[in-house]
Amino acid sequence: MNPVFRPYQEFQEYPPARMLSRARDFADELQRRRSVRDFSDRAVPPEIIGQCLRAAASAPSGANRQPWHFVAVTDPAIKHRIRLAAEQEEQAFYQHRAPPEWLQALAPLGTDQSKPFLEIAPALIAVFYQRYGIDQHGQRFKNYYASESVGLASGMLIAALHHAGLATLTHTPSPMKFLRDILGRPKNEAPYLLIVTGYPAAACQVPDIRRKALDEVVSWNPTVTDESAD
């Protein structure tokens, strides 16, 4: 199959000063993002979440397979089932699955097996990755870099929700097979992430922790020796 190309007409260029301003404003906006566990039950218009999902679905993916599926859940009965199943896994995690050093790392966050936000928050978004695809003839085909691709889409979804004015929490009970069962997803899809979203509660508090400084996580033009390259 020969590739087909077209002019890239959607790209928008800005003068350097405007570029810097936009980059700074966006970085400042994302610096205000925090993971929230105290949510209001105030409803969010579904079209807002729909547009954020539209942004997420534009993420790059290996060989353009787009190996993701998002399930938005606002039904109280389904959220209740998800909470019960998640808390069952979390109880096992905190009681005997997690090694002591993991529990010690979680201690500053004040987390435990109780997950009321899974019912209180107005919306849950279950993110699935397709381990393999299925064509119109029912035949399997390989997806490339599926986990990495879905990770990119999930990051874009979190940024889009924050940009829209919603708080988020990434929740990853392990194992998460119950999500596929409750939400009726096919066997070629594996749960990747559960994103909780909505408005923060009026008295919402977040852990008093810091992010690493930029110079701790970014290097510019490092000097690479033969030894370090190995």
Side-chain angles (χ1 to χ4, degrees):
M1 181 182 297
N2 293 323
V4 177
F5 294 89
R6 64 170 178 81
Y8 180 23
Q9 298 175 330
E10 298 87 351
F11 180 75
Q12 179 68 60
E13 185 174 343
Y14 303 94
R18 179 62 175 150
M19 292 171 66
L20 178 58
S21 174
R22 286 170 58 87
R24 183 186 296 114
D25 289 347
F26 190 63
D28 288 344
E29 182 176 358
L30 290 187
Q31 284 293 318
R32 293 190 291 271
R33 188 208 60 80
R34 292 296 305 270
S35 294
V36 166
R37 291 175 175 81
D38 295 326
F39 284 88
S40 165
D41 62 359
R42 184 157 49 115
V44 174
E47 56 268 23
I48 294 175
I49 294 176
Q51 289 300 315
C52 294
L53 289 167
R54 178 170 169 255
S58 72
S61 62
N64 194 37
R65 296 293 201 201
Q66 304 168 59
W68 44 64
H69 190 88
F70 306 93
V71 181
V73 179
T74 58
D75 184 281
I78 301 176
K79 290 193 296 178
H80 179 67
R81 290 182 63 193
I82 290 174
R83 177 185 178 181
L84 292 180
E87 287 185 337
Q88 182 176 353
E89 297 297 346
E90 293 288 276
Q91 182 176 7
F93 172 82
Y94 279 95
Q95 289 185 354
H96 61 264
R97 285 181 186 159
E101 60 270 23
W102 195 342
L103 295 178
Q104 184 178 359
L106 289 171
L109 304 180
T111 60
D112 58 26
Q113 65 198 40
S114 179
K115 309 298 178 185
F117 50 77
L118 293 175
E119 284 192 272
I120 296 172
L124 309 178
I125 302 173
V127 183
F128 292 84
Y129 78 94
Q130 297 173 342
R131 294 174 293 185
Y132 55 89
I134 302 176
D135 65 20
Q136 66 263 29
H137 305 294
Q139 299 298 311
R140 293 187 182 188
F141 60 84
K142 183 177 178 58
N143 284 329
Y144 302 96
Y145 299 106
S147 181
E148 293 87 346
S149 300
V150 177
L152 292 169
S154 297
M156 291 177 64
L157 176 56
I158 293 167
L161 290 165
H162 177 77
H163 183 67
L166 296 172
T168 57
L169 174 68
T170 54
H171 184 50
T172 52
S174 180
M176 291 193 289
K177 180 180 178 296
F178 66 86
L179 278 177
R180 189 175 67 194
D181 296 338
I182 292 173
L183 299 176
R185 298 310 304 163
K187 291 183 178 180
N188 67 313
E189 294 184 3
Y192 185 85
L193 184 64
L194 186 61
I195 297 177
V196 187
T197 190
Y199 301 101
C204 177
Q205 294 188 335
V206 295
D208 187 12
I209 55 178
R210 77 170 188 92
R211 292 187 174 99
K212 293 181 179 180
L214 197 61
D215 60 6
E216 295 182 80
V217 298
V218 177
S219 298
W220 289 79
N221 302 318
T223 300
V224 180
T225 64
D226 291 341
E227 182 179 351
S228 62
D230 293 338

